[in-house]
Amino acid sequence: MHLVDQELSEPYSIFTYRYFVYLWPQLCFLAFHRGRCVGTVVCKMGEHRHTFRGYIAMLVVIKAYRGKGIATDLVTRSIKVMMESGCDEVTLEAEVTNKGALALYGGLGFIRAKRLFRYYLNGVDAFRLKLLFPRPDLQPSLQTLAYKDEHDYQIPIEGCSTNCSKF
Ligand SMILES: CC(C)(COP(=O)(O)OP(=O)(O)OC[C@H]1O[C@@H](n2cnc3c(N)ncnc32)[C@H](O)[C@@H]1OP(=O)(O)O)[C@@H](O)C(=O)NCCC(=O)NCCS
């Protein structure tokens, strides 16, 4: 809790942590070095609008341990469990100003699906990021289908500037 409270802008209560850890313990990973917790990822999964969706709620690596691939490893492990559990996609929100997180998730294949105006309590907008798992049974490309996904508007991470007006 201390780790997340320190590094994320949103305040979370003990109940939020319990909700994730008790219901999806297989989707919560901690990274340790010499007995000290240096990073964590907290996720969940469930039905969402006719899909089975994974959701990454919190991701933190303490400053001294950043740039070593720890977050990538934590996220990759949680995504692997989601894939093996039958998820069709993974989503999360990140502050539009969070260059590190956006670069990390972009590198893992996440796309910017939506911009959420003043999503955070601090007034900052969020990007909803989405990773679609390949479905070999679907003939049209995933990208084509993604454009039809309700109000979502899919933009590849690399092709979007922060002032996209489509959202
Ligand atoms: C974002 C965060 C989790 C990254 O943790 P990390 O362990 O340093 O990440 P990794 O080492 O796995 O980085 C993987 C890639 O992400 C990108 N990246 C990570 N931090 C970056 C930064 N500050 N600036 C630019 N790119 C960054 C790089 O492309 C990096 O690959 P590279 O090292 O080969 O260049 C960490 O900075 C953090 O805890 N930040 C505060 C909390 C936060 O913002 N959480 C995310 C909420 S959505």
Side-chain angles (χ1 to χ4, degrees):
M1 277 180 60
H2 180 61
L3 194 71
V4 175
D5 287 348
Q6 250 184 340
E7 297 294 343
L8 294 185
S9 66
E10 292 289 279
Y12 295 111
S13 80
I14 180 73
F15 302 107
T16 309
Y17 293 102
R18 282 189 187 161
Y19 167 74
F20 286 101
V21 176
Y22 287 175
L23 292 177
W24 298 276
Q26 75 278 31
L27 290 177
C28 298
F29 290 94
L30 297 168
F32 283 89
H33 184 239
R34 293 183 180 152
R36 180 185 182 200
C37 183
V38 298
T40 186
V41 67
V42 175
C43 316
K44 67 174 184 172
M45 59 188 168
E47 294 287 339
H48 179 85
R49 293 184 188 173
H50 314 298
T51 61
F52 194 59
R53 188 165 91 165
Y55 179 75
I56 301 174
M58 306 166 202
L59 171 69
V60 172
V61 172
I62 61 172
K63 286 194 179 73
Y65 286 81
R66 289 182 190 166
K68 301 176 191 304
I70 295 173
T72 304
D73 189 62
L74 289 167
V75 171
T76 306
R77 282 169 194 254
S78 60
I79 290 175
K80 186 167 179 281
V81 176
M82 290 171 190
M83 273 186 100
E84 288 167 356
S85 307
C87 286
D88 306 301
E89 61 184 36
V90 186
T91 66
L92 68 118
E93 291 86 32
E95 292 183 6
V96 297
T97 51
N98 192 339
K99 291 202 171 90
L102 294 173
L104 184 155
Y105 285 114
L108 290 171
F110 282 76
I111 55 173
R112 293 175 186 179
K114 214 181 247 187
R115 184 168 181 143
L116 305 162
F117 180 66
R118 295 177 68 85
Y119 181 78
Y120 292 100
L121 291 175
N122 62 10
V124 174
D125 293 358
F127 280 127
R128 172 154 303 136
L129 305 182
K130 197 178 269 196
L131 178 70
L132 298 165
F133 295 142
R135 292 266 308 270
D137 53 314
L138 294 178
Q139 278 309 305
S141 76
L142 287 170
Q143 197 72 358
T144 311
L145 285 177
Y147 274 89
K148 293 179 185 162
D149 181 17
E150 302 220 352
H151 308 295
D152 284 3
Y153 199 92
Q154 307 279 338
I155 295 176
I157 288 273
E158 294 305 325
C160 183
S161 65
T162 48
N163 59 356
C164 287
S165 56
K166 298 282 186 193
F167 296 97

